[in-house]
Amino acid sequence: GENVEQHPSTLSVQEGDSAVIKCTYSDSASNYFPWYKQELGKGPQLIIDIRSNVGEKKDQRIAVTLNKTAKHFSLHITETQPEDSAVYFCAASMEYGNKLVFGAGTILRVKS
Amino acid sequence: ETGVTQSPTHLIKTRGQQVTLRCSSQSGHNTVSWYQQALGQGPQFIFQYYREEENGRGNFPPRFSGLQFPNYSSELNVNALELDDSALYLCASSLLARGTEAFFGQGTRLTVV
């Protein structure tokens, strides 16, 4: 079955700097790659996603890139703010938003 | 807010007991998936319900079972609770036929003592 690895497990950045979180997946049949942000005591919130027919997608300060050949995808957050501090999860699926396989998560701390 | 609501928010049960968790899906969504999130880990897929039938299951034993109702709301039942079942249980809704995103509820924190 699909396996998703996520790095780093923790990331500390200074406010205003960029943050990059990387994931790899094992099953080339996966075609959908969402990123979720989870704050303490809350459920995961979808922040951006990308489908396998696209190499890059951007939404304001957040961007995601996908390299299907290498089976890598990455989350890029620019101009980080303290409210970006949370746990971020990548995921992969062969059925869009269904039967998601998650990475282990990255704790992002933005220091002001 | 996603429109996906779960109840209760917190629950404490004794080992060996049974528990039922509930989820109301987002308006217009016909698919509900359940995930288990142990402390410090990513969510793990338990199973999915589509049109009131199980439509895929992860690596969880049969004592984890579910239901989906005609209004697309869902229940997760866990029998013979074990200490390792302590986790955050998440419900996600989506629209299967159109390949949409999954939106999560706030979760139910289950503690087994």
Side-chain angles (χ1 to χ4, degrees), chain A residues 32 36 38 41-46 49 51 89 95-105, chain B residues 31 35 37 40-43 45 48 55-56 88 90 94 96 99-106:
Chain A
Y32 176 71
Y36 287 87
Q38 188 173 28
K42 297 186 178 181
Q45 175 194 2
L46 179 70
D49 58 8
R51 303 196 179 196
F89 291 98
E95 298 184 20
Y96 295 113
N98 301 292
K99 301 173 188 174
L100 297 167
V101 178
F102 282 84
Chain B
T31 303
Y35 292 79
Q37 186 178 21
Q41 298 181 22
F45 174 70
Q48 177 184 88
N55 180 45
L88 181 68
L90 296 161
S94 58
L96 184 63
T100 63
E101 307 87 341
F103 295 98
F104 284 82
Q106 82 283 7

Side-chain angles (χ1 to χ4, degrees), chain A residues 7-83:
Chain A
H7 299 280
S9 55
T10 61
L11 179 60
S12 288
V13 300
Q14 203 66 37
E15 182 178 358
D17 287 350
S18 295
V20 180
I21 303 171
K22 298 182 179 182
C23 290
T24 61
Y25 62 99
S26 61
D27 196 327
S28 56
S30 289
N31 57 19
Y32 176 71
F33 307 93
W35 286 88
Y36 287 87
K37 174 184 181 182
Q38 188 173 28
E39 297 173 322
L40 204 60
K42 297 186 178 181
Q45 175 194 2
L46 179 70
I47 56 172
I48 196 167
D49 58 8
I50 192 167
R51 303 196 179 196
S52 59
N53 58 348
V54 175
E56 184 173 358
K57 183 176 178 181
K58 190 173 181 181
D59 182 4
Q60 299 183 340
R61 297 187 297 109
I62 295 173
V64 57
T65 59
L66 171 64
N67 182 331
K68 285 192 298 183
T69 303
K71 295 186 198 151
H72 289 170
F73 58 113
S74 299
L75 177 71
H76 304 252
I77 305 174
T78 59
E79 300 172 18
T80 53
Q81 300 167 3
E83 51 265 37

